[in-house]
Amino acid sequence: MKKNVFLLILCLFVVLTACGKQQTSSNPHEKEEKASFYKKENQERYQAYQKQMPDLSFKDVILRVNIGLDQPYYTHTVESPYQNTNQLLVNKYYYLGEDYVPKNLVELDGTYSKGGIYLVKEAAQAFQKMVDQAKADGYSIRAISAYRSYQYQVHLYQRYVDQDGQEEADTYSARPGFSEHQTGLCVDVDNRVMDFNHFEETKSFQWMMENAARYGFILRYPKGKEAITGYQYEAWHYRYVGEEIANDIKEHGMTYDEYYMEFIDKE
Ligand SMILES: [Zn+2]
């Protein structure tokens, strides 16, 4: 008799444990669904994209779908919120209008640029401080391009399309309104000696990798992140986001697109 009771208890225990386990594993995405960046209206897109990209974590799926990467570039586009702030996101889904000209544009002093280069004041001040420190450490950095108007991008993009065709041009040049240069918050640099597209090979680049975040700048289009940023690796293109965000991004090895979706985008 005693043996039977024991067996009964054992069976109950096994059944209850199994039920418990099933309950906790019934929704493996529970944690992500509670996250602030999970958008219920995107649920079906998350599922479809996860099937396309089985190796991505569910969190990465959410962030990439929120960016818009499950849909072709330049489709389902949104006018960028956070205009005239350091949080402004511009990429192949987030654009600025034809009339958007950032407030507080200032011209960089000639000792920091090749001349006629404009940045938003806060970014300009941070840039000059950064270049001063680089110089003190023995490295040369100069701005060769920063703010570009919508109209300028119209001409630039058209020139690339005429030269290489639209498909190729889209891999390295932004369509008008979709260029981060229109924000006045980013800057292309060289070391005054080598052409900008060899910047990666310079010691100035190494210095930037170590120190740029301390001045609020991030490498905006890193190597290996092309599928997220939508751009080829650009060792010369830096974006001002402010010190706090720049340090976070550097520490976590994220792109600004992902950071924006995880921490800034609140709708
Ligand atoms: Zn650039």
Side-chain angles (χ1 to χ4, degrees):
M1 260 326 231
K2 263 189 183 169
K3 199 175 166 192
N4 281 345
V5 172
F6 174 74
L7 278 174
L8 192 69
I9 291 171
L10 187 71
C11 283
L12 265 171
F13 177 75
V14 169
V15 168
L16 285 174
T17 319
C19 283
K21 266 193 187 148
Q22 218 172 18
Q23 251 176 13
T24 51
S25 65
S26 67
N27 182 4
H29 299 148
E30 204 180 333
K31 198 177 93 204
E32 288 87 351
E33 285 175 14
K34 281 185 183 150
S36 62
F37 49 84
Y38 183 89
K39 295 182 181 178
K40 247 193 160 154
E41 68 271 24
N42 286 351
Q43 200 170 13
E44 282 176 17
R45 287 169 60 194
Y46 297 147
Q47 282 163 2
Y49 198 62
Q50 180 79 84
K51 270 187 197 156
Q52 265 183 57
M53 304 282 184
D55 295 338
L56 284 184
S57 71
F58 192 56
K59 183 184 171 185
D60 284 341
V61 165
I62 297 172
L63 295 179
R64 292 190 198 198
V65 167
N66 289 0
I67 293 169
L69 289 163
D70 59 325
Q71 294 163 330
Y73 294 145
Y74 301 116
T75 62
H76 307 273
T77 58
V78 184
E79 185 168 358
S80 305
Y82 302 101
Q83 299 192 354
N84 287 299
T85 74
N86 297 337
Q87 285 87 54
L88 185 56
L89 174 70
V90 173
N91 61 20
K92 287 177 175 173
Y93 303 94
Y94 282 69
Y95 67 89
L96 293 168
E98 204 171 330
D99 300 327
Y100 183 83
V101 178
K103 290 176 187 159
N104 297 320
L105 278 177
V106 296
E107 187 175 355
L108 282 178
D109 186 280
T111 52
Y112 301 92
S113 81
K114 67 174 197 179
I117 309 267
Y118 291 80
L119 272 174
V120 167
K121 194 173 177 187
E122 187 184 325
Q125 287 171 340
F127 183 77
Q128 296 185 0
K129 252 171 121 180
M130 178 171 72
V131 172
D132 284 342
Q133 188 56 53
K135 195 175 174 188
D137 292 348
Y139 305 103
S140 183
I141 293 161
R142 169 181 75 160
I144 54 164
S145 180
Y147 168 68
R148 293 180 203 150
S149 71
Y150 183 95
Q151 282 311 320
Y152 182 93
Q153 196 66 24
V154 168
H155 296 299
L156 189 67
Y157 179 71
Q158 194 53 51
R159 200 173 79 206
Y160 292 139
V161 170
D162 293 343
Q163 190 183 295
D164 291 331
Q166 187 169 43
E167 201 179 320
E168 179 65 18
D170 274 340
T171 68
Y172 64 84
S173 178
R175 294 187 187 177
F178 296 86
S179 170
E180 198 179 49
H181 282 278
Q182 198 183 336
T183 65
L185 294 168
C186 65
V187 56
D188 294 337
V189 300
D190 71 6
N191 74 341
R192 292 177 182 267
V193 180
M194 287 162 85
D195 193 63
F196 75 94
N197 52 35
H198 290 282
F199 189 66
E200 188 191 6
E201 299 148 35
T202 68
K203 292 206 165 129
S204 299
F205 171 75
Q206 294 304 329
W207 189 92
M208 284 292 276
M209 287 298 90
E210 279 164 38
N211 299 288
R214 286 170 45 207
Y215 298 89
F217 286 90
I218 54 161
L219 181 73
R220 180 68 178 84
Y221 306 121
K223 194 182 265 178
K225 304 281 185 177
E226 295 83 351
I228 302 170
T229 64
Y231 284 95
Q232 292 177 0
Y233 170 46
E234 292 190 359
W236 59 86
H237 179 113
Y238 296 86
R239 160 69 193 269
Y240 183 74
V241 286
E243 253 174 84
E244 200 185 320
I245 297 179
N247 282 320
D248 259 13
I249 285 179
K250 185 184 178 198
E251 194 178 317
H252 295 108
M254 307 170 86
T255 62
Y256 186 57
D257 310 84
E258 294 164 293
Y259 185 90
Y260 180 92
M261 293 305 157
E262 186 166 352
F263 300 109
I264 296 171
D265 179 47
K266 302 275 177 265
E267 279 164 46

